[in-house]
Amino acid sequence: MATQKVWMDGKLVDYDKANIHIMTHCLHYGGGVFEGIRLYETEKGRAIFRLREHMQRFLDSAKIISLKIPYSLDEICEATREAVRANKGVKVDYIRPIAYYGTGTYGLNPIKLPTSIAIAVVYMGVYLGEEQMQKGAKLITSSWEKPSNRALPVNAKVCGHYVNSVLARLEAVNKGADEALMLNSEGNVAEGTGENIFMVRKGKLYTTPISAGILEGITRDSVMVIADDLGMPVTERDITRGELYIADEVFMTGSAAEVQPIYSIDGLVIGQGKPGPMTLKLQKAFCEAARGKDPKYWHWLDFV
Ligand code: PPE
């Protein structure tokens, strides 16, 4: 088996040697940004799903926290392809680019710190589990509130933001659920700990708007495009917790989670208690698009 490699500041290093110093600013304060990108096996070889969009969001997230990235969008996309090529023959399906304030000075002020960047290529598998993907996953509403845009720039994928997600995910798992639903400071539905959320009511699709304090998901966008193409357009509007309880179908989207059906929320059965027809239709179409089976969406794939 080939050795798993990580791209670190322009060099390829063995997975076991891809380490950082204990005084790295990001480790203490969360001052870094990251991405999660799927890598799919297709008939034409490995394909990175919507690489450019992910890397644009990576650069945007960095800008929001004033983290300087010494690469252009083209260069960072090429570095990602290089990282994938270096892992030829390794069982991998997910790419994790991360850029962060490194070492040099102590204390919060990151202004004099160098930026470090790494691109790891790893195996993620089915995010919430194979059985959950088939039968649907169980959600609870987290008692932790999703930080508002007044507290944090939640449209940026910043490392430190994820403490909120980790707490909510722990709460879900401790209560026997698969995943947590996050409400925003208004009490409306925001998203999952690492996924956006959709519902079907009376045959129509809805998802929460950016203003609800969510990450502008790339899978969310892909599903919205596919849904539109299938003649079932998605409306972006606020969704309440109570509305989700009486929805006909609920599903979540994310790079790691893909299209994940939900069968239960806070102990209440959603719809028929199994993945609904619109969810299944979108899940199938998304899977085919990501795996290169639908020429209409080939422009989303970056073959390496
Ligand atoms: N909301 C949040 C908070 C989030 O972290 C993600 C991605 C999404 C929505 C969906 O965005 P997109 O991947 O562009 O469709 N979460 C990443 C990290 C998951 C993890 O466990 O780590 C991911 O799916 O890669």
Side-chain angles (χ1 to χ4, degrees):
M1 178 129 150
T3 317
Q4 195 171 347
K5 300 274 186 195
V6 178
W7 184 99
M8 276 186 105
D9 294 317
K11 293 189 194 75
L12 290 164
V13 299
D14 287 351
Y15 186 86
D16 292 341
K17 300 210 171 83
N19 303 317
I20 58 157
H21 196 276
I22 197 69
M23 288 314 290
T24 301
H25 185 278
C26 180
L27 183 63
H28 298 241
Y29 310 119
V33 300
F34 69 100
E35 272 303 318
I37 315 173
R38 278 279 179 182
L39 181 64
Y40 292 102
E41 299 292 342
T42 77
E43 272 173 15
K44 292 201 280 176
R46 279 180 168 173
I48 307 174
F49 189 66
R50 303 195 71 178
L51 172 63
R52 234 182 141 72
E53 289 89 339
H54 277 282
M55 285 316 200
Q56 183 61 57
R57 188 171 68 187
F58 189 57
L59 298 181
D60 290 344
S61 295
K63 178 179 180 181
I64 289 172
I65 64 160
S66 300
L67 179 70
K68 289 187 189 70
I69 305 282
Y71 298 99
S72 66
L73 179 58
D74 283 335
E75 285 167 344
I76 202 74
C77 286
E78 187 46 34
T80 310
R81 286 184 209 104
E82 196 186 329
V84 170
R85 285 194 292 263
N87 286 285
K88 195 165 189 259
V90 184
K91 190 183 176 191
V92 285
D93 63 3
Y94 187 76
I95 307 165
R96 170 52 55 85
I98 181 163
Y100 51 95
Y101 285 114
T103 51
T105 57
Y106 304 133
L108 282 166
N109 181 4
I111 216 79
K112 293 207 173 101
L113 291 172
T115 301
S116 285
I117 306 179
I119 305 168
V121 189
V122 299
Y123 181 71
M124 173 69 79
V126 184
Y127 192 54
L128 295 181
E130 195 70 62
E131 199 188 317
Q132 284 81 350
M133 194 51 120
Q134 298 306 320
K135 297 186 179 160
K138 198 171 154 182
L139 291 188
I140 55 139
T141 304
S142 179
S143 62
W144 295 103
E145 178 179 303
K146 171 105 197 170
S148 76
N149 277 306
R150 213 192 292 271
L152 294 166
V154 294
N155 62 324
K157 211 165 160 55
V158 175
C159 300
H161 291 185
Y162 280 80
V163 175
N164 178 251
S165 286
V166 169
L167 287 169
R169 180 69 75 88
L170 274 173
E171 184 182 9
V173 171
N174 287 336
K175 289 182 174 164
D178 300 303
E179 178 55 299
L181 172 71
M182 309 300 304
L183 302 183
N184 60 27
S185 56
E186 238 104 83
N188 289 322
V189 172
E191 57 182 345
T193 68
E195 309 90 347
N196 293 116
I197 192 155
F198 288 73
M199 71 167 182
V200 176
R201 280 196 72 198
K202 298 177 186 155
K204 287 208 176 85
L205 276 159
Y206 301 91
T207 195
T208 55
I210 306 307
S211 56
I214 62 168
L215 186 76
E216 196 170 358
I218 291 161
T219 320
R220 174 183 179 273
D221 177 71
S222 307
V223 165
M224 287 169 81
V225 169
I226 292 171
D228 218 25
D229 291 347
L230 291 173
M232 35 194 214
V234 181
T235 304
E236 291 174 83
R237 69 149 169 86
D238 278 325
I239 295 175
T240 69
R241 178 179 178 176
E243 249 185 318
L244 280 187
Y245 288 171
I246 56 167
D248 301 312
E249 301 179 33
V250 174
F251 63 88
M252 289 178 137
T253 62
S255 299
E258 304 186 272
V259 176
Q260 171 64 58
I262 304 301
Y263 83 91
S264 154
I265 306 177
D266 297 332
L268 295 174
V269 172
I270 304 306
Q272 302 301 308
K274 59 179 188 191
M278 282 171 87
T279 305
L280 288 173
K281 205 168 167 186
L282 287 168
Q283 191 185 44
K284 182 166 179 279
F286 176 81
C287 276
E288 287 177 359
R291 286 160 185 79
K293 291 187 182 136
D294 190 341
K296 202 195 275 171
Y297 306 109
W298 277 351
H299 61 285
W300 283 345
L301 301 175
D302 208 290
F303 295 96
V304 276

